[in-house]
Amino acid sequence: MADDQTPMQKMMGDFAPTFVELTDEVLFGKVWARTDALSPRDRSLVTITSLVTAGNIEQLNAHIPMGLANGLTEDEIKEAITHVAFYAGWPRAVSALTLAQKLFAK
């Protein structure tokens, strides 16, 4: 049964069921399903760069693989992080690229 759980269900379990529901049904349901204006690939690119800019590097553990699955290349992800370094700050980009390097090696 645990294999049928979403990543957020695995992370939060019964601890925050409303948060899990909103994440699964609204964010990754309705928002990510709106492909008429942005493709999943483009949403992943925006999400990855936004997470880097905000310093939310831990969240990239999920979003970099999702970006690859949605059609981004490793080179595009590296270039996006490099580009956003000038706006987000060098330390955030270094942290993001260090994590990306580990994820790409898997």
Side-chain angles (χ1 to χ4, degrees):
M1 184 146 185
D3 291 337
D4 294 341
Q5 291 183 321
T6 66
M8 189 54 65
Q9 289 168 335
K10 290 177 185 175
M11 186 185 306
M12 294 287 171
D14 294 330
F15 179 73
T18 302
F19 187 83
V20 170
E21 179 182 352
L22 290 169
T23 300
D24 292 343
E25 293 182 17
V26 178
L27 178 59
F28 289 110
K30 293 178 182 176
V31 173
W32 277 80
R34 293 179 6 223
T35 57
D36 56 322
L38 282 178
S39 68
R41 177 202 173 279
D42 292 347
R43 284 188 193 281
S44 285
L45 185 62
V46 170
T47 300
I48 289 169
T49 56
S50 296
L51 290 171
V52 174
T53 302
N56 297 323
I57 305 306
E58 183 177 322
Q59 302 302 313
L60 294 174
N61 278 302
H63 284 280
I64 286 176
M66 185 185 303
L68 292 169
N70 286 337
L72 288 173
T73 67
E74 290 181 9
D75 286 341
E76 289 171 326
I77 292 171
K78 290 185 285 187
E79 182 60 27
I81 295 169
T82 300
H83 179 75
V84 81
F86 292 93
Y87 303 95
W90 219 254
R92 288 178 176 171
V94 169
S95 296
L97 286 168
T98 301
L99 176 60
Q101 184 177 31
K102 290 176 186 174
L103 292 171
F104 295 159
K106 288 184 180 179

